[in-house]
Amino acid sequence: MPLQIIREYLRKTDLDGWLLYDFSGSNEFFYKASGINAHLTRRSFFWIPKKGDPVLLLHKVEEDGFGGASFRIASYLTVGDLVEALRSLAKGKIAMEIDDEVPYVSKVDASGLHLVSEAGIRPVSSKVLIQLVFSRISEALLETHLKASHLLDTINTKAFEYIRMRRSAGKPVFEGDVALFITDRIKTSHLVSEHGPIVAFGENTASPHYRVQGGGRQLGEGDPILIDLWGKTEGGIYADFTYMGVCGKPSSRHKEVFQLVLEAQKIVFAYIKAHLEPEGWKVDHEVQHFFAKKKVEKSVFHRTGHNIHESLHGPGAHLDSIEIKDTRPILPMTVTSVEPALYLADFGARLENNIYTDAKGKPHWSRPLQTAWILV
């Protein structure tokens, strides 16, 4: 349990503690902070005070099995007992998983909020605590991300070679065939993935989360190609990349849209480099302002990027001023996807790379940027 990190942060703020609430597995941060492996079925709280020992407050039917725990156990029977226990336990300014702007943080349901209100607690958001404790990675974990990045880059290269080989042999190329090729290479590279890659040809590249049905569309001359793939080593940090190719030669329109998306990636890097720990929405806002100036803002369908961790979409700040206003900062020793995209009526262009910030908050690309269409 990262208690030392939590308390270091608490000492630097006017917070008096962190109160984590869970109901039947609703809050993964409750389990990560407490280290509890058991699944609790009743409303439970884990209290981490600025000073003193942590306390697990749970229902009497679930208090067995915690002998030797590094925290104190308190139990309740009735809802009245629970309110009184909270009233005596958590005093002052308390952080909880609530937030008006960031739904990824909001884990406390209405009944939980009612309980803490009855106990006289007026909680504030724990979003910065969550970032500090759960989104930052070690140098060793960073190496796992960089290894996965290299492997995915290699798999992508082989996928485009596979397409070229099929075309040279006069054989048809279908989206489904390429997706299966990539999936097989991910497995043989000893990477794990939450689900399969995105492979899209032609107009299907204009669908951000396109899913191939059966064999999918056949590749034709002049078609753009989008490959989005992700994975991690066992126990490691994910990497997530999107590449753009074209069958034949890119049109002038293809080139124009590609350059706009590439420039947007560079804007993200420059902004993070120039601003220490910028809020995620501010980074995204720079990209949206650029697209608006180029009069292509109506072709933007999603945020610019997301945090990456042991899950593909991690617990840290996202680059988002569209879907939400993500006010969380981009912290040192975190990984973020950078995937600006433009989706037109007949094709889309998305370029995705990953930025990791070092211990001083300086950004680095996980792999070299793709600077031109990949030709097949």
Side-chain angles (χ1 to χ4, degrees):
M1 182 171 56
L3 274 179
Q4 184 178 352
I5 297 172
I6 296 169
R7 283 177 167 155
E8 282 177 4
Y9 176 76
L10 289 172
R11 282 195 291 268
K12 295 175 183 177
T13 71
D14 59 350
L15 291 171
D16 295 291
W18 188 3
L19 184 63
L20 295 108
Y21 164 84
D22 177 72
F23 174 61
S24 195
S26 62
N27 184 359
E28 69 268 28
F29 304 119
F30 171 95
Y31 292 92
K32 288 180 178 180
S34 64
I36 294 172
N37 292 320
H39 174 63
L40 303 176
T41 62
R42 309 302 205 270
R43 291 182 292 190
S44 306
F45 290 85
F46 189 67
W47 167 239
I48 306 174
K50 183 179 286 188
K51 297 179 181 179
D53 295 328
V55 179
L56 175 63
L57 175 59
L58 73 174
H59 194 271
K60 280 187 177 295
V61 300
E62 297 183 310
E63 63 182 336
D64 190 34
F66 291 99
S70 60
F71 42 77
R72 186 162 60 86
I73 305 296
S75 63
Y76 69 92
L77 177 61
T78 68
V79 67
D81 296 339
L82 178 53
V83 170
E84 286 304 313
L86 287 170
R87 185 175 287 130
S88 63
L89 199 63
K91 299 179 184 296
K93 189 173 182 181
I94 310 302
M96 291 188 73
E97 283 65 73
I98 59 169
D99 201 89
D100 292 337
E101 296 175 320
V102 185
Y104 312 104
V105 172
S106 297
K107 305 293 183 179
V108 184
D109 58 33
S111 71
L113 283 175
H114 178 71
L115 281 172
V116 297
S117 177
E118 286 288 297
I121 299 169
R122 299 294 180 265
V124 297
S125 177
S126 62
K127 61 186 175 186
V128 177
L129 269 172
I130 289 172
Q131 284 233 116
L132 284 167
V133 180
F134 300 120
S135 73
R136 296 188 298 176
I137 62 175
S138 64
E139 291 287 351
L141 282 174
L142 175 59
E143 287 303 315
T144 70
H145 164 74
L146 295 176
K147 180 180 180 179
S149 298
H150 171 74
L151 289 170
L152 290 172
D153 202 14
T154 301
I155 292 168
N156 175 73
T157 298
K158 290 180 178 178
F160 277 102
E161 289 174 354
Y162 169 76
I163 295 172
R164 291 190 196 97
M165 180 186 68
R166 297 278 301 182
R167 279 178 46 78
S168 296
K171 297 179 180 179
V173 183
F174 290 90
E175 295 165 331
D177 295 332
V178 181
L180 287 172
F181 177 92
I182 292 171
T183 300
D184 180 62
R185 294 307 183 280
I186 287 174
K187 290 179 180 177
T188 57
S189 297
H190 304 291
L191 295 174
V192 294
S193 179
E194 293 176 1
H195 43 84
I198 297 174
V199 177
F201 298 160
E203 68 280 357
N204 292 338
T205 59
S207 176
H209 282 180
Y210 173 72
R211 284 284 175 256
V212 62
Q213 302 295 320
R217 187 188 187 283
Q218 182 176 341
L219 183 66
E221 188 69 26
D223 280 344
I225 302 164
L226 182 150
I227 293 179
D228 186 351
L229 69 169
W230 48 87
K232 67 173 183 174
T233 58
E234 193 68 45
I237 302 298
Y238 264 95
D240 187 6
F241 292 87
T242 303
Y243 303 85
M244 296 302 304
V246 66
C247 183
K249 293 184 178 181
S251 67
S252 58
R253 193 154 163 265
H254 287 153
K255 292 179 180 178
E256 178 186 1
V257 173
F258 183 98
Q259 288 302 317
L260 288 173
V261 176
L262 175 60
E263 184 60 31
Q265 280 193 316
K266 294 177 180 179
I267 286 170
V268 170
F269 188 91
Y271 192 88
I272 295 175
K273 185 177 180 179
H275 300 81
L276 181 64
E277 299 186 18
E279 294 180 2
W281 77 272
K282 291 182 178 180
V283 183
D284 184 55
H285 180 74
E286 287 295 304
V287 172
Q288 305 315 322
H289 179 66
F290 167 72
F291 282 148
K293 283 199 304 182
K294 298 297 182 179
K295 302 187 186 305
V296 292
E297 69 275 13
K298 291 184 179 179
S299 296
V300 176
F301 288 4
H302 56 69
R303 65 194 178 197
T304 297
H306 58 85
N307 177 253
I308 294 175
H309 203 260
E310 293 174 349
S311 57
L312 184 58
H313 294 82
H318 302 326
L319 309 183
D320 194 351
S321 65
I322 298 177
E323 301 167 38
I324 66 167
K325 184 179 180 180
D326 200 325
T327 53
R328 296 174 292 177
I330 308 296
L331 295 179
M333 298 305 294
T334 57
V335 182
T336 307
S337 82
V338 181
E339 50 180 310
L342 294 171
Y343 302 100
L344 287 71
D346 54 341
F347 81 98
R350 179 168 76 245
L351 294 173
E352 183 176 16
N353 206 312
N354 303 162
I355 280 178
Y356 68 90
T357 48
D358 61 26
K360 295 183 178 180
K362 182 181 177 181
H364 305 265
W365 289 113
S366 300
R367 297 296 298 166
L369 290 179
Q370 180 187 343
T371 57
W373 288 87
I374 300 170
L375 307 182
V376 298

